[in-house]
Amino acid sequence: LHIELRAGDEPCLSSNFIFVARDPYTYKAVPINRLVPNTVAEKANWEIAQKRADILKSQGKSFMHLSQNGLLQEVGTDGLEWCREQLSESETLSQLPTLAHKRNEVTMAQTQMQMTSLQMPQEQNIYGKVFGGTLCRRAYELAYCSVYSFGGSQPTFIEVDRIDFLAPVEIGSIVRLDSQVLHTGQHECGKWVVFCEVRASVLQPEKGESSTTNTFTFTFATENPLANVFPDNLEEAWKAWKCRMALTDLESALLHK
């Protein structure tokens, strides 16, 4: 579904809505009719979307999967060396924290923020679970606040890089959202880009358990230079490396909207 808001003859806002269908019993994807592009423009947009879907599918591997099958095969020799350099710098920051300010460097742990909420009945979808859009909105709000606090100026939202729905959230659940900045860098167009991850977890105090239900990755841009962010462990280094690759592929047109 494509919607445009126009000012006169020129579009000032354009959005593409993507719908998903889930089986209420298995929570797996339900087969739907395939789209068939007809016009040249539709075919071009379809190819771009398919390329993006293929990238996201390849990035959808968990870190545990990579640990078992080899991180080296996933990131390559240069990528693994970059991860090691990031971890080495992070270790230096932990041992010599007074140098962080001089170098304009922080660790991912220092960028973390948190939000906790109780899921109310008015937030349920047609299956009686918490509506995914509610979680997306809260995750976006936390990511925006995190990046705003981190960068010191209002950021411009660029895109939702990735959303993973790992498990449904029941009404009445205590949901905790944890955010952290994954990577910063200057795009070739001159603007600074920051990637922020938000992880949603359901807390079950009576069982003494906590489980991750959703992960979100948001991309923002800002005019001001940003501090370098370093990972605290190998999993965070892998996430930062993926963001570094995404920064290279980010289209300049998105940053000038």
Side-chain angles (χ1 to χ4, degrees):
L1 176 61
H2 180 75
I3 297 178
E4 281 189 354
L5 177 64
R6 291 179 171 269
D9 295 330
E10 296 295 326
C12 59
L13 181 64
S14 176
S15 32
N16 293 303
F17 289 85
I18 301 174
F19 297 85
V20 296
R22 291 281 176 181
D23 187 291
Y25 303 106
T26 64
Y27 299 110
K28 295 182 178 180
V30 175
I32 59 176
N33 296 329
R34 295 181 62 85
L35 289 176
V36 179
N38 294 317
T39 67
V40 174
E42 288 178 348
K43 291 179 180 179
N45 289 333
W46 190 91
E47 290 177 357
I48 292 174
Q50 184 62 54
K51 180 180 178 181
R52 180 64 172 168
D54 292 340
I55 293 174
L56 291 177
K57 185 176 181 179
S58 66
Q59 292 179 346
K61 303 171 183 176
S62 67
F63 181 75
M64 289 302 297
H65 171 83
L66 291 176
S67 298
Q68 296 168 6
N69 294 276
L71 183 62
L72 177 61
Q73 183 178 358
E74 172 69 15
V75 304
T77 304
D78 292 340
L80 187 60
E81 182 61 29
W82 183 85
C83 289
R84 288 172 175 168
E85 291 174 357
Q86 296 290 296
L87 291 173
S88 176
E89 185 65 24
S90 178
E91 183 178 3
T92 300
L93 290 177
S94 65
Q95 296 178 354
L96 299 170
T98 55
L99 295 180
H101 177 70
K102 295 180 180 180
R103 297 184 179 183
N104 196 26
E105 298 174 345
V106 297
T107 62
M108 288 188 187
Q110 293 173 299
T111 69
Q112 293 175 352
M113 295 186 74
Q114 187 184 107
M115 175 194 300
T116 304
S117 61
L118 181 65
Q119 309 313 297
M120 306 302 287
Q122 63 266 29
E123 297 160 349
Q124 64 183 318
N125 59 21
I126 58 175
Y127 301 125
K129 312 296 181 181
V130 174
F131 176 52
T134 299
L135 299 172
C136 289
R137 188 195 74 238
R138 289 177 180 161
Y140 169 78
E141 291 173 352
L142 181 58
Y144 184 90
C145 293
S146 298
V147 174
Y148 196 169
S149 301
F150 169 75
S153 62
Q154 288 191 351
T156 300
F157 173 69
I158 301 301
E159 65 178 3
V160 180
D161 186 63
R162 183 176 182 87
I163 297 178
D164 290 308
F165 290 91
L166 308 176
V169 178
E170 302 290 343
I171 298 298
S173 298
I174 299 175
V175 173
R176 190 181 78 182
L177 299 178
D178 294 279
S179 68
Q180 67 177 7
V181 173
L182 296 179
H183 183 66
T184 63
Q186 189 172 23
H187 193 266
E188 60 183 13
C189 72
K191 287 194 175 183
W192 286 79
V193 179
V194 53
F195 297 86
C196 184
E197 178 189 65
V198 178
R199 182 178 298 271
S201 303
V202 169
L203 309 182
Q204 297 178 291
E206 68 279 4
K207 296 182 178 180
E209 297 178 355
S210 173
S211 58
T212 300
T213 58
N214 308 81
T215 57
F216 311 83
T217 305
F218 300 94
T219 306
F220 296 88
T222 179
E223 301 288 346
N224 299 332
L226 299 170
N228 294 318
V229 181
F230 292 92
D232 294 296
N233 53 60
L234 191 56
E235 180 177 4
E236 290 182 351
W238 169 65
K239 291 179 180 179
W241 179 84
K242 291 202 300 180
C243 293
R244 183 169 178 255
M245 295 298 100
L247 175 60
T248 303
D249 297 334
L250 194 62
E251 297 180 15
S252 297
L254 291 174
L255 299 172
H256 289 289
K257 65 181 182 179

